[in-house]
Amino acid sequence: MINKNVSEKYLKYRQQVLNYTNTDMNLQLQSNEQVYIAVFDIPLRSNITEFQTQTLALVFGLNAHIYHESGSVMIDLEKNAKVMKAMQSLLISSHQVLSKMKLVDNTDYYESKNVRAYLKTGKGIYFKELIGDCKEDKFLLMLLNNVLKEIEGAM
């Protein structure tokens, strides 16, 4: 599904990280529920075209990137020790919410006023739109906001 409000480059970057596997990373998983990639589609409140959404992509021990809908990227965020620590905390702790998420095959981008979370494990990709109406949503949003706070502090 092509979305006219986001660039092809953005969609390509986003899908590349979702397609990345633990085998590609040479990462031995401790369990099939170990989260090793987290992708968050985050709506932005902005009146500026091409600043309506961004994606935070976290890859265990390797990368923390932000993809903007225009196709611009922010890389090397993980080089900041506090960002790396917050990222690792999210990836290590997020398995606790998997039971409230849905295992999905379709990871196509779509617009929403809510954050969309994709957590990749040995079993596959778990998805949930985070509305904030349950403790699992609040927990995952807290972990996400901690990473974003550290990224902002590193700028």
Side-chain angles (χ1 to χ4, degrees), residues 11 22 86 120 148 151:
L11 293 172
N22 63 301
K120 191 161 188 178
L148 294 173
I151 289 171

Side-chain angles (χ1 to χ4, degrees), residues 33 43 108 118 146-147 155:
E33 291 195 342
D108 289 347
Y118 299 85
N146 190 41
V147 174
M155 297 292 162

Side-chain angles (χ1 to χ4, degrees), residues 1-15:
M1 172 177 152
I2 302 296
N3 188 303
K4 64 181 179 180
N5 295 324
V6 296
S7 73
E8 288 291 328
K9 193 185 245 188
Y10 165 82
L11 293 172
K12 183 182 110 193
Y13 289 142
R14 184 182 169 281
Q15 201 56 51

Side-chain angles (χ1 to χ4, degrees), residues 9-72:
K9 193 185 245 188
Y10 165 82
L11 293 172
K12 183 182 110 193
Y13 289 142
R14 184 182 169 281
Q15 201 56 51
Q16 276 180 324
V17 76
L18 285 165
N19 290 342
Y20 203 48
T21 68
N22 63 301
T23 304
D24 296 333
M25 299 167 57
N26 199 26
L27 175 67
Q28 179 90 25
L29 298 179
Q30 308 259 330
S31 77
N32 276 337
E33 291 195 342
Q34 178 181 346
V35 177
Y36 66 94
I37 290 177
V39 171
F40 296 92
D41 293 333
I42 305 166
L44 302 175
R45 293 181 188 169
S46 174
N47 293 326
I48 302 170
T49 304
E50 297 186 350
F51 284 98
Q52 300 298 312
T53 194
Q54 67 183 9
T55 293
L56 175 66
L58 306 174
V59 179
F60 190 85
L62 295 176
N63 302 104
H65 295 167
I66 293 179
Y67 308 129
H68 292 278
E69 69 187 89
S70 66
S72 65

